[in-house]
Amino acid sequence: MSFPSLPPRLELVVLLVGVVAGYNLTLQILPRERIDFAQLELDEQIAERVALRPTVAPVTVASIASTESAAEPSSAGTCLVPPGGGPAVNDRFEPC
């Protein structure tokens, strides 16, 4: 019993459509984990500050929020972390 064969170009099209469909399904199924490097850096800075303190002082949410919104002065203006996360940028959108 012989199987019907497809022309080579049609076989390639079917293969590519299958790959694209599989890729799209994989992206929908797998969780999208985004690493926020700016938040990781802030967490490390806070952990260092807590470790350097001789007495244990509770860290409040207000102090963390004020640390996030603080702007660092630089030669090109102020450096801010975008609301969506990411690297700190200045007024000209250059990394600080």
Side-chain angles (χ1 to χ4, degrees):
M1 177 179 188
S2 68
F3 294 103
S5 64
L6 297 174
R9 287 189 178 175
L10 183 58
E11 187 176 340
L12 180 63
V13 169
V14 169
L15 178 67
L16 290 176
V17 167
V19 168
V20 169
Y23 178 76
N24 287 333
L25 285 174
T26 302
L27 287 181
Q28 289 177 0
I29 293 171
L30 293 178
R32 295 184 182 199
E33 186 65 34
R34 296 180 63 190
I35 300 173
D36 188 359
F37 290 109
Q39 185 62 40
L40 286 175
E41 184 177 347
L42 285 175
D43 292 343
E44 289 176 1
Q45 290 174 358
I46 291 171
E48 287 175 4
R49 289 180 190 157
V50 170
L52 293 176
R53 291 183 187 164
T55 59
V56 178
V59 177
T60 61
V61 176
S63 67
I64 294 173
S66 65
T67 307
E68 287 182 12
S69 62
E72 297 178 5
S74 70
S75 61
T78 58
C79 293
L80 296 173
V81 176
V89 292
N90 62 13
D91 297 337
R92 291 179 281 172
F93 297 102
E94 298 170 340
C96 297

